């Protein structure tokens, strides 16, 4: 589906502006250049390792010096060319890691993105110090598989060491983690994480399935029992923690019984939000070749059941905070003279007030409206 959408976007780009130079890069370009080559509207195809060279490549193309298919090589080292993405004036997303060694059976990333490589802590800290000077209060630490941070280093520096260093950056108020691997959540990790006082109590733990047999076929490297242990450790250390997850339904061979096991496990864990994906085969992966592919109708049905459960849990999670006080980092003005922002556990809160952008305020929560909370100062 994603490939199809990418091809459509490429064609639309050219249709919108016939003079444009359209460049395809990223994972799809990395692994399927033959498919992309067939698209007439596309001018240049380059691999992930060439992304930072894109201006130069486009200039060369204008001068007739660039072929349609450029360099497509596996990246070996972390490309440290500044990775900041600002989501709001208050928050920046910092990529600290790339690639993955896990080879989940449905995923193309290890083939497309290559092996784990991490950004040096000094470079991460320097960048954060610079953006804090510009007024950023919150950073989101992210990567393809951020739990593997440091595995390619010769020394013992790992994600928790990096977080401890980031915590010391003066002026920074919040550190948010993109996503975590269940295997990383050990007692020692949670104990140290508890001392990182800027860490936000919102963790995304990709579960994918609540059934051990399905997890095995997915080549995920944990059991639901281990996963639950991690959840309990986090809940004990962070009482208001928001735990979110990703689930794939309709993975090849997923029987009704397996799906029911997932459902029961999800009911027990009660995530504050779940992202539900219907499995779609990705060429070149082990799962795409598995025989017992699940039909679209069953996937749809299972997806709807889990979406309903997720919505119910999300509302329950939000309701808990009505009448309580929460610290909100205000980001943007919205309709009705409201300004909205997020709590540490990533609840969207709206309130009225002047000059609140980029400030952290304690808000009294009055009510829930949909998936937001309304409060007053
Ligand atoms: Fe790696 Fe995540 Fe893909 Fe698994 S799903 S191979 S952990 S990137």
């Amino acid at each position: 589906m994603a490939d199809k959408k990418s091809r459509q976007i490429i064609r639309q780009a050219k249709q919108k502006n016939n003079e444009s130079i359209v460049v395809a890069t990223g994972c799809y370009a990395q692994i399927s250049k033959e498919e992309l080559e067939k698209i007439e509207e596309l001018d240049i195809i380059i691999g992930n390792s060439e992304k930072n060279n894109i201006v130069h490549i486009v200039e060369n193309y204008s001068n007739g010096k660039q072929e349609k298919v450029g360099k497509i090589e596996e990246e070996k080292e972390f490309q440290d060319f500044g990775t900041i993405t600002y989501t709001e004036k208050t928050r920046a997303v910092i990529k600290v890691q790339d690639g993955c060694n896990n080879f989940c059976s449905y995923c193309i990333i290890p083939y497309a993105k290559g092996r784990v490589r991490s950004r040096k802590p000094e470079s991460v800290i320097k960048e954060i110090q610079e953006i804090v000077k510009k007024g950023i209060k919150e950073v989101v630490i992210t990567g393809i598989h951020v739990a593997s941070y440091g595995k390619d280093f010769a020394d013992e520096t790992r994600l928790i060491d990096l977080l401890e260093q980031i915590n010391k950056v003066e002026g920074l108020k919040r550190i948010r983690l993109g996503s975590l691997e269940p295997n990383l959540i050990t007692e020692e990790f949670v104990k140290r994480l508890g001392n990182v006082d800027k860490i936000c109590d919102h963790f995304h733990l990709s579960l994918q399935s609540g059934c051990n047999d399905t997890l095995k076929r997915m080549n995920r490297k944990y059991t639901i029992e281990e996963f639950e242990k991690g959840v309990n450790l986090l809940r004990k250390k962070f009482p208001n923690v928001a735990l979110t997850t990703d689930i794939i339904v309709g993975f090849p061979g997923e029987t009704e019984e397996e799906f029911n096991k997932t459902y029961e496990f999800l009911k027990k864990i009660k995530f504050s939000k779940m992202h539900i994906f219907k499995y779609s085969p990705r060429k070149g992966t082990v799962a795409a070749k598995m025989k017992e592919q699940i039909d679209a109708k069953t996937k749809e049905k299972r997806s709807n059941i889990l979406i309903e459960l997720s919505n119910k849990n999300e509302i329950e999670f939000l309701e808990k905070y009505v009448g309580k006080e929460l610290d909100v980092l205000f980001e943007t003005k919205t309709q009705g003279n409201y300004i909205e922002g997020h709590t540490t556990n990533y609840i969207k809160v709206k309130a009225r007030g002047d000059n609140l952008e980029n400030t952290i305020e304690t808000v009294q929560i009055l009510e829930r409206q949909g998936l937001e909370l309304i409060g007053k100062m």
Side-chain angles (χ1 to χ4, degrees):
M1 286 303 286
D3 292 356
K4 200 171 148 194
K5 280 186 197 157
S6 301
R7 290 194 296 269
Q8 276 168 0
I9 289 167
I10 289 167
R11 292 198 174 98
Q12 282 163 7
K14 200 60 153 198
Q15 278 157 16
K16 274 190 193 147
N17 181 356
N18 200 31
E19 303 286 301
S20 63
I21 297 169
V22 182
V23 187
T25 183
C27 293
Y28 184 26
Q30 190 80 24
I31 54 164
S32 302
K33 75 171 166 44
E34 293 78 15
E35 267 176 37
L36 288 169
E37 261 181 299
K38 290 182 211 146
I39 306 177
E40 261 174 49
E41 292 88 340
L42 182 59
D43 298 296
I44 311 169
I45 309 163
I46 53 165
N48 284 322
S49 65
E50 289 300 289
K51 274 186 198 168
N52 55 337
N53 251 336
I54 215 154
V55 175
H56 185 60
I57 289 169
V58 168
E59 276 170 355
N60 276 350
Y61 185 83
S62 311
N63 300 329
K65 287 191 225 148
Q66 171 71 42
E67 305 275 321
K68 178 163 182 169
V69 182
K71 249 210 259 170
I72 301 182
E73 289 175 351
E74 193 185 315
E75 283 173 83
K76 295 266 184 323
E77 285 181 9
F78 189 88
Q79 291 223 41
D80 204 346
F81 52 90
T83 53
I84 326 161
T85 326
Y86 292 95
T87 53
E88 302 287 345
K89 282 184 215 139
T90 53
R91 184 183 306 127
V93 179
I94 314 276
K95 186 170 168 183
V96 301
Q97 180 277 336
D98 213 339
C100 182
N101 300 351
N102 271 8
F103 291 91
C104 299
S105 63
Y106 52 84
C107 181
I108 200 71
I109 286 199
Y111 306 96
K113 280 267 177 191
R115 304 298 170 268
V116 169
R117 49 219 185 264
S118 316
R119 189 172 176 189
K120 300 269 180 299
E122 310 82 76
S123 158
V124 178
I125 300 297
K126 198 165 156 254
E127 184 176 11
I128 296 177
Q129 282 167 339
E130 275 162 23
I131 57 171
V132 166
K133 275 189 214 145
K134 292 183 192 155
I136 288 287
K137 296 237 169 28
E138 179 177 313
V139 288
V140 185
I141 301 303
T142 185
I144 291 290
H145 193 252
V146 80
S148 292
Y149 179 85
K151 282 193 180 161
D152 54 323
F153 289 157
D155 65 11
E156 293 288 299
T157 306
R158 293 291 182 268
L159 181 64
I160 190 68
D161 303 289
L162 179 71
L163 295 173
E164 285 170 348
Q165 288 192 44
I166 297 173
N167 200 46
K168 290 186 198 141
V169 174
E170 249 175 75
L172 181 71
K173 301 289 182 209
R174 289 178 172 184
I175 307 166
R176 203 175 282 287
L177 277 172
S179 98
L180 280 181
E181 170 86 356
N183 286 339
L184 192 74
I185 322 289
T186 59
E187 266 178 54
E188 167 72 7
F189 179 83
V190 175
K191 194 170 148 213
R192 285 175 69 182
L193 196 65
N195 292 330
V196 176
D197 58 3
K198 293 174 187 171
I199 198 83
C200 289
D201 46 358
H202 166 220
F203 304 108
H204 184 82
L205 301 173
S206 282
L207 173 64
Q208 309 301 8
S209 167
C211 165
N212 283 337
D213 290 336
T214 319
L215 285 174
K216 217 167 181 183
R217 289 199 304 282
M218 289 176 164
N219 198 27
R220 301 287 289 174
K221 294 175 181 72
Y222 51 86
T223 61
I224 56 167
E225 291 77 17
E226 286 160 350
F227 188 95
E228 190 176 358
K229 213 169 142 200
V231 164
N232 292 339
L233 286 170
L234 288 171
R235 286 197 163 136
K236 207 166 149 204
K237 184 60 85 185
F238 302 94
N240 282 330
V241 71
L243 294 175
T244 53
T245 198
D246 295 329
I247 301 290
I248 299 173
V249 291
F251 187 76
E254 188 189 58
T255 60
E256 206 57 28
E257 195 194 338
E258 289 189 2
F259 173 71
N260 288 340
K261 278 190 188 162
T262 291
Y263 183 78
E264 289 308 318
F265 187 66
L266 297 176
K267 237 167 71 178
K268 184 171 167 200
I269 298 291
K270 259 195 174 184
F271 290 98
S272 54
K273 192 182 179 73
M274 302 192 284
H275 302 276
I276 314 296
F277 298 93
K278 285 175 269 187
Y279 171 78
S280 75
R282 161 66 76 178
K283 213 167 102 190
T285 61
V286 173
K289 290 187 215 120
M290 288 180 180
K291 286 207 181 78
E292 294 172 294
Q293 297 289 326
I294 305 295
D295 62 277
K297 224 169 119 193
T298 308
K299 284 184 204 167
E300 183 74 25
K301 192 182 95 195
R302 291 179 185 170
S303 163
N304 289 340
I305 294 171
L306 296 194
I307 290 171
E308 199 181 306
L309 178 66
S310 175
N311 290 343
K312 186 172 156 274
N313 289 349
E314 192 173 358
I315 288 170
E316 256 177 57
F317 179 73
L318 294 175
E319 292 278 350
K320 274 199 310 200
Y321 295 98
V322 176
K324 305 240 167 76
E325 283 188 340
L326 294 172
D327 285 345
V328 178
L329 171 56
F330 283 105
E331 291 148 24
T332 32
K333 286 195 174 129
T334 59
Q335 284 175 339
N337 207 21
Y338 277 109
I339 178 154
E340 67 181 28
H342 286 88
T343 60
T344 53
N345 57 1
Y346 213 61
I347 297 174
K348 199 190 260 183
V349 176
K350 274 180 172 179
R352 285 205 172 99
D354 295 321
N355 305 320
L356 292 173
E357 259 167 321
N358 211 9
T359 65
I360 297 177
E361 308 288 340
T362 304
V363 179
Q364 169 82 30
I365 304 300
L366 302 173
E367 58 169 333
R368 174 184 67 84
Q369 274 183 17
L371 297 177
E372 295 171 348
L373 295 180
I374 310 294
K376 68 166 189 183
M377 247 69 76

